[in-house]
Amino acid sequence: ERRASSLQHKSLLSCVTGQRQTLRQETWSLSPEEFEIWDRLYRIKEGDGVKDPVLPRVRFETLENVEGVPEREEGTAQELSLSEWRIWQNRPFPTAMVSHSDRCYHFIGVMEMIDVMRQQQGACSYQLEMERHLHMEDVNIARGRRHLSRQKGS
Amino acid sequence: LFQRLKAAVHYTVGCLCQEVAEERNVQFSKQTIAAISEITFRQCDTFAKDLEMFARHAKRSTVTTEDVKLLARRSSSLLNYITQKSEELAASNIEQKEKKKKKSFAAKGRRTEEQDIAVSESEDSNMA
């Protein structure tokens, strides 16, 4: 993770330091001047009062996880949340150069739908709508039969 | 037709959620099941487009299990699981082929079979 973030910083630094040093940019790592700038301006240090930002790891609740255990100690890192601001996510956010993908619009659409359903108590309009269109030949009945009576009854 | 497909997905998601609910001793609200259904339905759109692009990238017009594996590339746990399933499937396919050596599989049948897998896998991954 450190490596990845320093790579990102490198590209930022190239912008900051400008063309002057492009000839020296043959090496993979930062030059001493770039390192000095990174260390002074961007590097998160202990006294800064901010925690290292980290992205949440992939974890599957229903599968055996082979990803490995995250080695970070609790409290030293700020895990970036993808759900903290969910009430903002029912509309497309502004874009700069990259437009929203279909996948992103699907996400926004579902967030909108969840917002609408949040007001509902008990009966579910989606369920009522779907029941009208269900053809039993489309579904795997053997799997679901056990639950059918219960679902219809509730 | 869209509504009919959605209804089938909703029904199946309901059954799967019921299984999870019993296993883990939790309850899903109807709205939660509806949301998972809608996510699954929309995810199928993403999967279908990706699978088509993956196949085209390999200059094929038929989606294969290799394309399906690419959908699972972001998590090695998921990729392991899908790969294992695909090997099991391949093994049972060979078995069946040996049994009915004379009756060769029509390519069409094979294709729909793979599409079915894609759909059921997509449901599985959305459940996760």
Side-chain angles (χ1 to χ4, degrees), chain A:
Chain A
E1 267 159 357
R2 276 230 173 269
R3 187 171 292 177
S5 65
S6 64
L7 262 179
Q8 254 173 14
H9 284 302
K10 184 185 166 181
S11 57
L12 281 174
L13 279 169
S14 308
C15 299
V16 174
T17 54
Q19 267 80 39
R20 190 163 52 91
Q21 289 177 353
T22 43
L23 284 176
R24 296 198 46 180
Q25 279 301 311
E26 305 301 317
T27 54
W28 177 87
S29 58
L30 297 180
S31 68
E33 300 86 50
E34 286 170 338
F35 184 87
E36 194 275 323
I37 292 170
W38 169 68
D39 191 56
R40 187 161 44 88
L41 296 177
Y42 308 126
R43 186 180 196 174
I44 294 174
K45 292 171 190 162
E46 260 178 47
D48 288 344
V50 288
K51 295 168 177 178
D52 270 345
V54 293
L55 283 166
R57 294 287 193 102
V58 178
R59 226 189 80 80
F60 265 91
E61 196 63 49
T62 54
L63 296 179
E64 199 186 329
N65 280 279
V66 296
E67 254 78 31
V69 200
E71 76 276 8
R72 87 181 81 96
E73 321 93 85
E74 205 52 53
T76 61
Q78 171 74 54
E79 190 167 282
L80 301 175
S81 173
L82 291 169
S83 55
E84 198 180 341
W85 299 100
R86 55 186 165 275
I87 56 164
W88 289 82
Q89 295 184 306
N90 58 0
R91 76 212 84 161
F93 265 43
T95 56
M97 306 280 281
V98 181
S99 52
H100 295 301
S101 61
D102 287 347
R103 193 189 164 89
C104 181
Y105 280 118
H106 281 320
F107 176 79
I108 294 163
V110 172
M111 292 309 273
E112 266 182 298
M113 175 194 165
I114 289 172
D115 263 359
V116 171
M117 288 195 304
R118 193 168 288 138
Q119 326 298 332
Q120 293 176 359
Q121 299 285 326
C124 172
S125 56
Y126 192 88
Q127 182 187 14
L128 298 175
E129 170 74 8
M130 289 307 127
E131 272 171 3
R132 293 199 292 124
H133 296 284
L134 182 63
H135 294 236
M136 285 316 284
E137 67 266 31
D138 295 341
V139 295
N140 188 344
I141 302 168
R143 193 185 215 169
R145 189 185 290 149
R146 194 157 53 101
H147 310 299
L148 180 63
S149 54
R150 211 175 309 167
Q151 271 208 328
K152 278 275 156 74
S154 60

Side-chain angles (χ1 to χ4, degrees), chain B:
Chain B
L1 183 66
F2 257 43
Q3 291 303 88
R4 182 175 166 178
L5 281 171
K6 272 194 186 188
V9 171
H10 182 251
Y11 181 87
T12 309
V13 166
C15 295
L16 291 171
C17 284
Q18 188 65 41
E19 278 176 31
V20 175
E22 280 167 17
E23 221 172 88
R24 309 252 163 155
N25 208 14
V26 289
Q27 271 200 317
F28 293 94
S29 70
K30 287 175 180 171
Q31 286 75 19
T32 304
I33 292 171
I36 297 172
S37 307
E38 185 67 17
I39 292 165
T40 307
F41 189 78
R42 288 167 179 264
Q43 189 67 25
C44 285
D45 174 74
T46 308
F47 281 165
K49 285 175 183 159
D50 285 351
L51 286 170
E52 203 180 333
M53 295 297 277
F54 295 157
R56 203 186 298 166
H57 184 72
K59 301 189 168 57
R60 281 186 271 102
S61 58
T62 308
V63 170
T64 71
T65 49
E66 291 307 302
D67 304 321
V68 177
K69 283 183 207 163
L70 261 188
L71 285 183
R73 69 196 177 282
R74 288 200 178 89
S75 154
S76 36
S77 305
L78 183 62
L79 187 58
N80 281 359
Y81 180 77
I82 300 282
T83 306
Q84 192 192 326
K85 287 284 161 203
S86 134
E87 278 160 11
E88 283 171 21
L89 209 67
S92 76
N93 270 356
I94 290 169
E95 226 170 81
Q96 279 192 338
K97 264 185 196 171
E98 276 170 2
K99 275 181 191 167
K100 315 173 186 175
K101 240 176 188 171
K102 282 171 192 172
K103 297 175 194 169
S104 64
F105 277 140
K108 227 182 196 176
R110 214 176 300 157
R111 183 157 68 188
T112 51
E113 208 173 81
E114 263 148 15
Q115 278 164 351
D116 284 345
I117 298 161
V119 169
S120 65
E121 298 297 6
S122 78
E123 280 163 7
D124 286 347
S125 63
N126 273 301
M127 297 296 298

